[in-house]
């Protein structure tokens, strides 16, 4: 009886080990089946399975007028923080990560949801652009990122034109206060330039701003608010236009 039990135990242990080995091999094969994506724009080192690659190519073809950027899973947060840098003029940018593409390749319901989100986003942004054209509001580029639940976050990239203009005004005012002595003029110029450079560094050396929203309607409002604030920032009273007006460089 003892021998029978030992034999049964040995067989069970062997089967358990074989099962685990099989799972391990299967997992390795699944990982090795994925290949690095080399076509189109990418961020990080995204990899897709054969099914994922096939679907992604068809998705890009289906929405051929859009600028797709495929992001690796480990770079999602980083890409989201700098999404404005991926935008290009004349094309709607779509940020999407490899995990979502893999899910879309096998989950028909999720695939239809995301594709509908992309299509609706394109239509919504087109209407938004038409409204902005009427008010002569310039937006460099538009984009969207796909969230985990299949919905979209929209973004628009605009110039910080008011910033450079304000800096020119500040520089002229500072120069108007300088004395005729060359050393004093040089010192104040260097000081002004340093302060301007510090402010530029605080803005990450970018001359653009990225506005985000959960819908085209909300994005339109944010663009209009930004435009209003930008214009208000450049409004100066007659007194402020006088040479020698003091200017506060503090941020």
């Amino acid at each position: 009886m003892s021998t029978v039990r030992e034999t049964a135990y040995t067989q069970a242990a062997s089967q358990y080990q074989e099962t685990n080995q099989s799972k391990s091999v299967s997992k390795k094969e699944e990982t090795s089946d994925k290949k690095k994506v080399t076509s189109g724009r990418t961020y990080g080192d995204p990899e897709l399975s054969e099914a994922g690659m096939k679907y992604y190519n068809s998705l890009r073809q289906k929405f051929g007028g859009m600028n797709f950027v495929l992001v690796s899973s480990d770079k999602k947060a980083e890409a989201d923080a700098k999404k404005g840098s991926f935008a290009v003029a004349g094309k709607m940018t779509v940020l999407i990560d490899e995990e979502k593409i893999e899910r879309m390749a096998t989950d028909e319901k999720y695939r239809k949801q995301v594709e509908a989100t992309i299509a609706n986003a394109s239509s919504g942004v087109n209407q938004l652009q038409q409204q902005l054209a009427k008010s002569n509001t310039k937006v460099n580029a538009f984009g969207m990122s796909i969230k985990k639940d299949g919905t979209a976050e929209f973004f628009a990239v605009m110039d910080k034109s008011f910033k450079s203009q304000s800096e020119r005004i500040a520089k002229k005012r500072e120069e108007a206060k300088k004395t005729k002595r060359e050393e004093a003029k040089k010192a104040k110029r260097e000081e002004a330039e340093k302060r301007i450079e510090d402010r530029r560094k605080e803005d990450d050396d970018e001359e653009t701003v990225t506005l985000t929203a959960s819908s085209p309607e909300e994005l339109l409002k944010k663009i209009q608010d930004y435009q209003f604030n930008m214009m208000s920032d450049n409004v100066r009273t007659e007194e402020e236009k006088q040479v020698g007006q003091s200017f506060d460089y503090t941020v």
Side-chain angles (χ1 to χ4, degrees), residues 24-50:
S24 177
V25 171
S26 177
K27 188 173 183 180
K28 288 181 180 179
E29 288 178 348
E30 182 182 343
T31 303
S32 62
D33 282 344
K34 290 189 175 183
K35 294 182 180 179
K36 184 177 178 180
V37 179
T38 56
S39 60
R41 295 187 68 185
T42 60
Y43 188 70
D45 294 306
E47 295 182 339
L48 294 174
S49 64
E50 184 177 350

Side-chain angles (χ1 to χ4, degrees), residues 175 178 184-194:
E175 288 175 348
K178 293 174 183 177
K185 290 175 68 175
K186 181 179 178 181
K188 288 187 178 182
R189 187 184 307 115
E190 289 177 349
E191 182 181 0
E193 290 174 354
K194 183 177 183 303

Side-chain angles (χ1 to χ4, degrees), residues 42-236:
T42 60
Y43 188 70
D45 294 306
E47 295 182 339
L48 294 174
S49 64
E50 184 177 350
M53 191 80 74
K54 183 178 179 180
Y55 171 71
Y56 184 54
N57 289 334
S58 68
L59 180 68
R60 289 172 58 207
Q61 185 175 7
K62 183 173 184 177
F63 298 97
M66 296 187 173
N67 169 43
F68 278 86
V69 181
L70 184 64
V71 181
S72 59
S73 299
D74 61 326
K75 294 287 187 178
K76 288 190 292 185
E78 191 174 311
D80 184 69
K82 56 184 295 185
K83 52 181 170 280
S85 64
F86 300 108
V88 294
K91 279 191 174 183
M92 177 81 164
T93 295
V94 181
L95 283 177
I96 191 167
D97 63 80
E98 57 188 1
E99 290 178 349
K100 294 182 181 68
I101 291 297
E102 290 291 358
R103 181 178 173 185
M104 291 170 74
T106 58
D107 187 336
E108 184 179 0
K109 183 178 179 181
Y110 184 69
R111 177 170 67 248
K112 288 182 177 180
Q113 179 191 357
V114 176
E115 288 188 2
T117 295
I118 296 174
N120 292 335
S122 177
S123 176
V125 169
N126 284 337
Q127 293 179 28
L128 184 155
Q129 287 178 299
Q130 292 174 12
Q131 294 183 53
L132 291 174
K134 295 177 182 178
S135 60
N136 200 29
T137 301
K138 182 184 176 182
V139 177
N140 294 355
F142 291 94
M144 63 180 290
S145 56
I146 303 298
K147 297 191 289 187
K148 187 176 182 180
D149 62 359
T151 59
E153 180 178 69
F154 298 83
F155 63 90
V157 181
M158 299 182 70
D159 285 331
K160 288 183 179 177
S161 56
F162 74 93
K163 173 175 171 288
S164 57
Q165 185 172 341
S166 296
E167 288 173 352
R168 288 196 298 271
I169 292 171
K171 186 175 181 180
K172 287 180 180 179
R173 288 173 179 165
E174 183 66 21
E175 288 175 348
K177 294 194 309 179
K178 293 174 183 177
T179 64
K180 294 181 181 181
R181 295 174 56 187
E182 288 300 321
E183 288 301 318
K185 290 175 68 175
K186 181 179 178 181
K188 288 187 178 182
R189 187 184 307 115
E190 289 177 349
E191 182 181 0
E193 290 174 354
K194 183 177 183 303
R195 286 172 175 171
I196 291 173
E197 183 62 25
D198 288 342
R199 291 172 68 187
R200 285 176 179 164
K201 287 181 179 179
E202 289 177 0
D203 288 329
D204 297 326
D205 292 326
E206 294 182 0
E207 294 300 327
T208 61
V209 60
T210 301
L211 308 176
T212 61
S214 58
S215 69
E217 294 77 17
E218 183 186 1
L219 186 59
L220 174 61
K221 186 179 185 307
K222 286 193 174 184
I223 291 171
Q224 292 173 333
D225 289 346
Y226 178 81
Q227 179 80 352
F228 176 79
N229 291 333
M230 180 180 74
M231 293 174 65
S232 297
D233 186 80
N234 284 322
V235 174
R236 297 291 186 272

